[in-house]
Amino acid sequence: MSKTITIQNNILEHLKEKLDIPGLNFFKIFLPKEKAIVKEGAEENNYPFLLIRPSKELKNGVFKKRKFEIIVGIKQENDDKAQEELFNLAERIIEILEKNSLVPGKFTIDPTTIVGDFNAELCGEDFWGYIISFESDIPTPTSRILEERGF
């Protein structure tokens, strides 16, 4: 398995553990086809959702950094409530990424690269979207120094 996919899976699993939100759906790379197409008359609820996808790979000397995006989506008919829910969820995700930026053996995130952006282009009539982007390094190995510092 590629390191990019490994990092993506590790970040997604970490967010699943840390975000205890009933009904929050987690996806990788794209929404599954069966979730994207809703038969007429059927009520399919994929909201709220969190989708993580790799954006690009950057090479800086010998080190590779991978850019990821987390797309957060909420469907809500009440605009004020949707906006509040969306921003609260986005803030919680950013807070988790900042506090848990180093998980030995799984991933490292550069906290200075975390950028949250309300994306009006993702929004529809009653759908609200937010994108969180960040750089992540290859998984870090465990070491005595990290263990001594509590990681």
Side-chain angles (χ1 to χ4, degrees):
M1 188 180 315
S2 84
K3 289 184 179 179
T4 301
I5 293 172
T6 301
I7 294 168
Q8 172 190 284
N9 291 341
N10 290 341
I11 292 171
L12 187 65
E13 289 305 314
H14 189 75
L15 287 172
K16 281 182 182 179
E17 291 173 15
K18 299 289 181 182
L19 286 171
D20 186 24
I21 299 173
L24 180 61
N25 294 292
F26 294 88
F27 301 106
K28 293 185 281 190
I29 302 177
F30 55 87
L31 291 173
K33 185 176 178 180
E34 64 272 8
K35 300 284 186 186
I37 299 171
V38 180
K39 294 181 181 148
E40 190 174 328
E43 184 63 35
E44 185 69 38
N45 186 4
N46 295 321
Y47 299 96
F49 72 84
L50 182 149
L51 181 139
I52 184 168
R53 66 180 181 195
S55 177
K56 53 179 117 166
E57 267 188 29
L58 308 168
K59 188 149 184 172
N60 181 6
V62 253
F63 299 104
K64 280 188 182 177
K65 291 189 177 186
R66 289 151 178 93
K67 245 187 136 155
F68 289 90
E69 292 179 336
I70 294 176
I71 298 173
V72 182
I74 288 184
K75 183 175 182 177
Q76 180 64 255
E77 293 174 16
N78 180 331
D79 287 346
D80 291 335
K81 187 174 180 185
Q83 188 176 11
E84 184 179 342
E85 284 181 33
L86 180 69
F87 285 102
N88 285 341
L89 182 55
E91 284 176 13
R92 285 181 62 193
I93 293 168
I94 290 171
E95 186 178 304
I96 289 169
L97 294 176
E98 287 173 341
K99 285 183 177 178
N100 302 280
S101 61
L102 175 65
V103 179
K106 296 196 174 195
F107 61 86
T108 58
I109 294 172
D110 182 354
T112 62
T113 64
I114 299 172
V115 177
D117 183 28
F118 171 71
N119 193 334
E121 295 162 3
L122 282 178
C123 299
E125 292 176 17
D126 55 354
F127 171 77
W128 290 74
Y130 198 91
I131 294 180
I132 301 165
S133 59
F134 55 91
E135 289 178 12
S136 182
D137 293 331
I138 57 174
T140 52
T142 56
S143 71
R144 188 177 49 99
I145 294 169
L146 292 175
E147 288 173 1
E148 287 173 1
R149 293 191 177 194
F151 290 106

